[in-house]
């Protein structure tokens, strides 16, 4: 039996998605840990499109000190010590090798999907093909 090849994708709101695609932000901050490491699609929230791909390289649990020192990786202006303390315990999903698509790929958003979207096989194939085209 052939295992269907699907890609997981992360819905990300504006302006964060644009900052990631433009290389200005490499840490996507989430409240939950994930074991999913490897290639992921990047979804512009509420657009119905996958707009890029990345490698989810690692997941780091934030300390207040780390949040205070690494604010730029998160796409933030300098944080106050209080703001940094509030981020303690959150997770930085470290994104590498981001590819911004020349042409976004439409997908069907499953009801209730918030943290992850599992793209169907056809959409996964379209996303990977667009990543190759856009990376040239």
């Amino acid at each position: 039996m052939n295992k269907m090849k699907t890609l997981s994708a992360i819905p990300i709101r504006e302006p964060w998605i644009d900052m990631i695609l433009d290389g200005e932000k490499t840490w996507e901050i989430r409240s939950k840990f994930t074991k999913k490491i490897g290639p992921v699609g990047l979804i512009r929230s509420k657009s119905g499109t996958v707009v890029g791909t990345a490698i989810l390289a690692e997941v780091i649990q934030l300390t207040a000190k780390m949040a205070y020192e690494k604010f730029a990786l998160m796409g933030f202006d300098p944080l106050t010590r209080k703001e940094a303390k509030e981020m303690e315990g959150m997770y930085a999903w470290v994104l590498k090798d981001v590819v911004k698509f020349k042409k976004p790929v439409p997908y069907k958003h499953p009801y209730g999907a918030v943290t992850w979207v599992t793209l169907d096989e056809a959409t996964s194939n379209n996303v990977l093909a667009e990543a190759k085209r856009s990376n040239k």
Side-chain angles (χ1 to χ4, degrees), residues 4-10 36 38-43 50 52-55 101 116-129 131:
M4 197 168 91
K5 290 189 170 75
T6 59
L7 188 65
S8 294
I10 308 168
K36 292 184 186 191
V40 295
L42 302 174
I43 294 171
V50 182
T53 57
I55 302 297
F101 288 179
W116 287 103
V117 171
T118 301
L119 303 173
D120 62 41
E121 191 170 13
T123 304
S124 295
N125 290 336
N126 291 341
V127 165
L128 295 173

Side-chain angles (χ1 to χ4, degrees), residues 83-96:
E83 289 168 329
K85 180 73 176 155
E86 289 168 359
M87 295 193 71
E88 194 162 50
M90 303 282 282
Y91 294 91
W93 293 11
V94 181
L95 300 172
K96 295 188 176 174

Side-chain angles (χ1 to χ4, degrees), residues 59-96:
V59 178
I60 302 168
Q61 188 167 21
L62 293 175
T63 63
K65 181 178 190 291
M66 192 183 307
Y68 186 76
E69 292 173 353
K70 306 288 187 181
F71 65 88
L73 297 175
M74 299 182 276
F76 297 147
D77 290 329
L79 299 173
T80 65
R81 297 249 181 225
K82 181 179 182 228
E83 289 168 329
K85 180 73 176 155
E86 289 168 359
M87 295 193 71
E88 194 162 50
M90 303 282 282
Y91 294 91
W93 293 11
V94 181
L95 300 172
K96 295 188 176 174

